[in-house]
Amino acid sequence: MHSNFPVRSTVILSIVALAAIVLPLALLNVGVLNAYWVYVLTLSGVNAIMAISVNTIVGITGQLSLGQAGFLTIGAYGCIFFHLDAGLPLPLAALFAVIITGIAGFLIGFPVLKLSGDYLAIVTLGFGEIIRVVFINLPSISGGPNGRPFITPMMLNRPVGFVVVTAMLVAVLVLLQNFLRSSYGRAIKACREDEIAANSSGINIFRYKMTGFVIAAFIAGIGGCLFAMVIGIVQPADANFLRSIDYLIFVVFGGMGSMTGSILASYVLTILQEFLRFLPRTLQDLRLIAYALILILIMIFRPRGLLGMTEFSFVRAWDTCVAYLKGKNRKAKGNAV
């Protein structure tokens, strides 16, 4: 029974992942969704990857970072540089850009992770602003303040972009969840819960914090590459702290420490913002107020976020549905007798 469980769970998760890709495309083909809403779902996927990156630092490592948008910009401009300037194929350019972003995460994390709490937040915010200013003054790479266009098949063909982003989101989630269940992931969580107890157990606090920080930078690099491919233009202003705050909101809304919660919040809030754009013109001024009001209500009535620190399990949901249907069938047979 135990040996069959991983196979069964893998099959269930594969079906869910396939449905997440196929269902929206089927709705597009029958006219229920249009290309615009497929683009919104694609952008939601990019936001979800960035929310996972932030949650890796904030929820798993237990450190407050406000500079993830800087890593997104490094990944995005790195992808553009390696593809357009260095002439590499797009997948290889994205791979090199992600590696460069991870190296940048290591170089930035080495000094800043000696700090904690508010000090770490302020320093990472400062690094994000430094990255923005550096790219403004590198017009040959960034295109200056106006940014640099990046036309890709993912931008020209929205369904292709949706498939690639959703597949990458699933891959990032699966790989990260497996890492967090490993001894390294448990050591990082131990550092988050109690640094003194973890240190007394022989865990190198700085080493595992650095591991979490670099992994978060890698994921942000993936998000940056996809951001550049989907949006079609990257600007230095994309590194500003307001974008980092947006990603942090997704994490707080979904639940710090819950990757599935971050994904759910990213989709809900991104789609909600688009719905609010279509309010009547007389109510357009209330759009931002409504968005802020929803966040305030969530923080009042659900301060730990939608899922808290728990992860949504599709396997458990499947088992619950099967058990419910079996119970319903038994009840129906009993009534028939």
Side-chain angles (χ1 to χ4, degrees):
M1 182 76 173
H2 177 72
S3 61
N4 291 333
F5 178 75
V7 176
R8 186 174 68 87
S9 63
T10 301
V11 171
I12 293 173
L13 294 176
S14 298
I15 293 173
V16 172
L18 188 62
I21 295 174
V22 172
L23 183 60
L25 295 179
L27 294 176
L28 175 64
N29 288 332
V30 299
V32 176
L33 291 179
N34 55 28
Y36 172 74
W37 284 108
V38 171
Y39 166 74
V40 172
L41 291 175
T42 306
L43 184 60
S44 300
V46 175
N47 289 339
I49 291 174
M50 289 304 303
I52 289 175
S53 171
V54 175
N55 208 351
T56 302
I57 296 179
V58 178
I60 304 302
T61 310
Q63 306 297 312
L64 181 57
S65 172
L66 298 178
Q68 290 308 101
F71 293 126
L72 174 141
T73 310
I74 292 174
Y77 274 124
C79 186
I80 294 175
F81 172 79
F82 285 117
H83 183 57
L84 297 183
D85 298 333
L88 296 178
L90 188 57
L92 194 58
L95 176 61
F96 276 99
V98 171
I99 293 173
I100 291 296
T101 308
I103 294 172
F106 177 80
L107 295 176
I108 292 175
F110 195 81
V112 305
L113 288 179
K114 298 181 184 297
L115 305 172
S116 61
D118 298 338
Y119 300 102
L120 176 63
I122 293 171
V123 171
T124 53
L125 188 152
F127 270 110
E129 287 300 298
I130 289 172
I131 291 170
R132 181 181 66 84
V133 174
V134 167
F135 277 124
I136 287 177
N137 291 278
L138 289 175
S140 60
I141 296 176
S142 66
N146 294 327
R148 190 172 181 183
F150 190 47
I151 308 301
T152 65
M154 290 175 58
M155 178 190 172
L156 299 175
N157 192 326
R158 295 305 184 188
V160 171
F162 169 77
V163 171
V164 173
V165 169
T166 307
M168 286 303 304
L169 173 60
V170 172
V172 167
L173 178 62
V174 170
L175 292 174
L176 185 61
Q177 291 285 35
N178 287 333
F179 172 79
L180 294 177
R181 294 189 185 101
S182 69
S183 58
Y184 286 94
R186 296 180 188 277
I188 292 174
K189 290 181 180 179
C191 297
R192 176 194 66 190
E193 296 298 331
D194 193 326
E195 290 189 8
I196 296 176
N199 192 39
S200 64
S201 300
I203 295 175
N204 188 323
I205 304 296
F206 180 78
R207 174 187 173 188
Y208 284 101
K209 281 184 179 180
M210 176 65 77
T211 300
F213 196 85
V214 172
I215 289 174
F218 269 109
I219 297 173
I222 295 172
C225 292
L226 295 174
F227 178 86
M229 297 176 193
V230 170
I231 300 298
I233 185 171
V234 181
Q235 299 173 311
D238 292 324
N240 65 28
F241 78 96
L242 292 178
R243 188 173 291 276
S244 295
I245 294 296
D246 286 340
Y247 298 137
L248 182 61
I249 288 174
F250 295 149
V251 172
V252 174
F253 189 90
M256 288 190 290
S258 173
M259 298 302 167
T260 48
S262 296
I263 294 172
L264 176 62
S266 300
Y267 277 87
V268 169
L269 293 180
T270 304
I271 294 172
L272 176 64
Q273 290 180 49
E274 296 305 317
F275 269 118
L276 293 176
R277 291 182 193 276
F278 295 100
L279 288 174
R281 182 169 296 181
T282 55
L283 300 177
Q284 279 296 315
D285 292 339
L286 300 177
R287 179 169 63 88
L288 296 179
I289 297 176
Y291 181 73
L293 182 62
I294 291 171
L295 292 176
I296 291 172
L297 291 175
I298 285 291
M299 290 301 99
I300 291 175
F301 296 104
R302 189 73 178 178
R304 297 187 66 185
L306 293 176
L307 297 185
M309 294 188 68
T310 61
E311 296 287 359
F312 180 81
S313 173
F314 290 102
V315 177
R316 285 199 300 266
W318 175 272
D319 292 340
T320 301
C321 292
V322 170
Y324 173 77
L325 292 175
K326 286 182 177 178
K328 196 172 181 180
N329 288 336
R330 289 195 195 100
K331 186 176 180 181
K333 290 179 180 179
N335 292 334
V337 172

